[in-house]
Coordinates of all heavy atoms in Angstrom, one line a residue:
Q5 N -8.8 5.7 -3.4 CA -8.5 6.3 -2.1 C -7.4 5.7 -1.3 O -6.9 6.3 -0.3 CB -9.8 6.3 -1.3 CG -10.9 7.2 -1.9 CD -12.2 7.1 -1.0 OE1 -12.4 6.2 -0.2 NE2 -13.1 8.1 -1.3
F6 N -7.0 4.5 -1.6 CA -6.0 3.8 -0.8 C -4.7 4.5 -0.7 O -4.2 4.6 0.4 CB -5.9 2.3 -1.4 CG -5.1 1.5 -0.5 CD1 -5.6 1.1 0.8 CD2 -3.8 1.1 -0.8 CE1 -4.8 0.3 1.6 CE2 -3.0 0.4 0.1 CZ -3.5 -0.1 1.3
P7 N -4.1 5.0 -1.8 CA -2.8 5.7 -1.7 C -2.9 6.9 -0.7 O -2.0 7.1 0.0 CB -2.5 6.1 -3.1 CG -3.2 5.2 -4.0 CD -4.5 4.9 -3.2
E8 N -4.0 7.6 -0.7 CA -4.2 8.7 0.1 C -4.2 8.3 1.6 O -3.6 8.8 2.5 CB -5.4 9.5 -0.2 CG -5.6 10.8 0.6 CD -6.8 11.6 0.2 OE1 -7.1 11.6 -1.0 OE2 -7.3 12.3 1.0
L9 N -4.9 7.2 1.9 CA -5.0 6.6 3.2 C -3.6 6.2 3.7 O -3.2 6.5 4.8 CB -6.0 5.4 3.2 CG -6.1 4.7 4.5 CD1 -6.7 5.6 5.6 CD2 -7.0 3.4 4.3
L10 N -2.9 5.5 2.8 CA -1.5 5.1 3.1 C -0.6 6.2 3.5 O 0.1 6.2 4.5 CB -1.0 4.3 1.9 CG 0.4 3.7 2.1 CD1 0.4 2.6 3.1 CD2 0.9 3.2 0.8
S11 N -0.7 7.3 2.7 CA 0.2 8.4 2.9 C -0.1 9.2 4.2 O 0.8 9.9 4.7 CB 0.3 9.3 1.7 OG -1.0 10.0 1.5
H12 N -1.4 9.2 4.6 CA -1.8 10.0 5.8 C -1.8 9.2 7.1 O -2.1 9.7 8.1 CB -3.1 10.6 5.5 CG -3.0 11.7 4.5 ND1 -3.3 11.5 3.2 CD2 -2.7 13.0 4.7 CE1 -3.1 12.7 2.5 NE2 -2.8 13.6 3.4
A13 N -1.5 7.9 7.0 CA -1.6 7.0 8.2 C -0.4 7.4 9.1 O 0.7 7.6 8.7 CB -1.5 5.6 7.8
P14 N -0.7 7.5 10.4 CA 0.4 7.9 11.4 C 1.3 6.7 11.7 O 2.4 6.9 12.2 CB -0.4 8.3 12.6 CG -1.7 7.6 12.5 CD -2.0 7.5 11.1
D15 N 0.9 5.5 11.4 CA 1.6 4.3 11.7 C 2.5 3.9 10.4 O 2.1 4.2 9.3 CB 0.7 3.1 12.0 CG -0.1 3.4 13.3 OD1 0.5 3.9 14.2 OD2 -1.3 3.1 13.3
A16 N 3.5 3.1 10.7 CA 4.3 2.6 9.6 C 3.5 1.4 8.9 O 3.1 0.5 9.6 CB 5.6 2.0 10.2
I17 N 3.4 1.5 7.6 CA 2.6 0.5 6.8 C 3.5 0.1 5.6 O 3.9 1.0 4.9 CB 1.3 1.1 6.4 CG1 0.4 1.5 7.5 CG2 0.6 0.1 5.5 CD1 -0.9 2.2 7.2
T18 N 3.7 -1.2 5.5 CA 4.3 -1.7 4.3 C 3.3 -2.7 3.6 O 2.6 -3.4 4.3 CB 5.6 -2.4 4.6 OG1 5.4 -3.5 5.5 CG2 6.7 -1.5 5.1
L19 N 3.1 -2.6 2.4 CA 2.3 -3.5 1.6 C 3.2 -4.5 1.0 O 4.2 -4.2 0.3 CB 1.5 -2.8 0.5 CG 0.6 -1.6 1.0 CD1 0.0 -0.9 -0.2 CD2 -0.4 -2.1 2.0
L20 N 2.9 -5.8 1.2 CA 3.7 -6.9 0.7 C 2.9 -7.7 -0.3 O 1.7 -7.9 -0.2 CB 4.1 -7.8 1.9 CG 4.8 -7.2 3.1 CD1 5.1 -8.2 4.2 CD2 6.1 -6.5 2.6
D21 N 3.7 -8.3 -1.2 CA 3.0 -9.3 -2.1 C 3.0 -10.6 -1.5 O 3.4 -10.8 -0.3 CB 3.7 -9.3 -3.5 CG 5.1 -9.8 -3.5 OD1 5.5 -10.4 -2.5 OD2 5.8 -9.7 -4.5
A22 N 2.5 -11.6 -2.1 CA 2.3 -13.0 -1.6 C 3.7 -13.6 -1.2 O 3.7 -14.6 -0.4 CB 1.5 -13.9 -2.5
A23 N 4.7 -13.2 -1.8 CA 6.1 -13.7 -1.6 C 6.8 -12.9 -0.5 O 8.0 -13.1 -0.3 CB 6.9 -13.8 -2.8
A24 N 6.2 -11.9 0.1 CA 6.7 -11.0 1.1 C 7.7 -10.0 0.6 O 8.7 -9.6 1.3 CB 7.3 -11.8 2.3
Y25 N 7.5 -9.6 -0.6 CA 8.3 -8.4 -1.2 C 7.5 -7.2 -1.0 O 6.3 -7.2 -1.2 CB 8.7 -8.7 -2.6 CG 9.8 -9.7 -2.8 CD1 9.5 -11.0 -3.0 CD2 11.1 -9.3 -2.8 CE1 10.5 -12.0 -3.1 CE2 12.1 -10.2 -2.9 CZ 11.8 -11.6 -3.1 OH 12.8 -12.5 -3.2
V26 N 8.2 -6.1 -0.7 CA 7.5 -4.8 -0.5 C 7.0 -4.2 -1.9 O 7.7 -4.1 -2.8 CB 8.4 -3.8 0.1 CG1 7.7 -2.4 0.3 CG2 8.9 -4.3 1.5
L27 N 5.7 -4.0 -1.9 CA 5.0 -3.3 -3.0 C 5.0 -1.8 -2.8 O 5.1 -1.1 -3.8 CB 3.6 -3.9 -3.2 CG 3.5 -5.3 -3.6 CD1 2.1 -5.8 -3.6 CD2 4.2 -5.6 -4.9
D28 N 4.8 -1.4 -1.6 CA 4.7 0.0 -1.3 C 4.9 0.2 0.2 O 4.8 -0.7 1.0 CB 3.3 0.6 -1.7 CG 3.3 2.1 -2.0 OD1 4.3 2.7 -1.7 OD2 2.3 2.6 -2.4
A29 N 5.2 1.4 0.6 CA 5.4 1.8 2.0 C 5.1 3.2 2.2 O 5.4 4.0 1.3 CB 6.9 1.5 2.4
N30 N 4.6 3.5 3.3 CA 4.3 5.0 3.6 C 5.5 5.6 4.2 O 6.6 5.0 4.5 CB 3.1 5.1 4.5 CG 3.2 4.7 5.9 OD1 4.2 4.1 6.3 ND2 2.2 4.9 6.7
E31 N 5.4 6.9 4.4 CA 6.6 7.7 4.9 C 7.1 7.3 6.2 O 8.3 7.2 6.5 CB 6.2 9.2 4.9 CG 7.3 10.1 5.3 CD 6.9 11.6 5.2 OE1 6.1 12.0 4.3 OE2 7.3 12.4 6.0
E32 N 6.1 7.0 7.1 CA 6.5 6.5 8.5 C 7.3 5.2 8.4 O 8.2 5.0 9.2 CB 5.3 6.4 9.4 CG 5.6 6.0 10.8 CD 6.6 6.9 11.5 OE1 6.7 8.1 11.2 OE2 7.3 6.5 12.5
A33 N 6.9 4.3 7.6 CA 7.6 3.0 7.4 C 9.0 3.3 6.9 O 10.0 2.7 7.4 CB 6.9 2.1 6.5

Side-chain angles (χ1 to χ4, degrees):
Q5 292 178 344
F6 190 72
E8 186 174 329
L9 177 65
L10 182 68
S11 67
H12 289 93
D15 298 318
I17 300 173
T18 56
L19 302 177
L20 306 175
D21 67 11
Y25 285 90
V26 177
L27 296 173
D28 205 351
N30 69 355
E31 186 175 322
E32 182 58 25

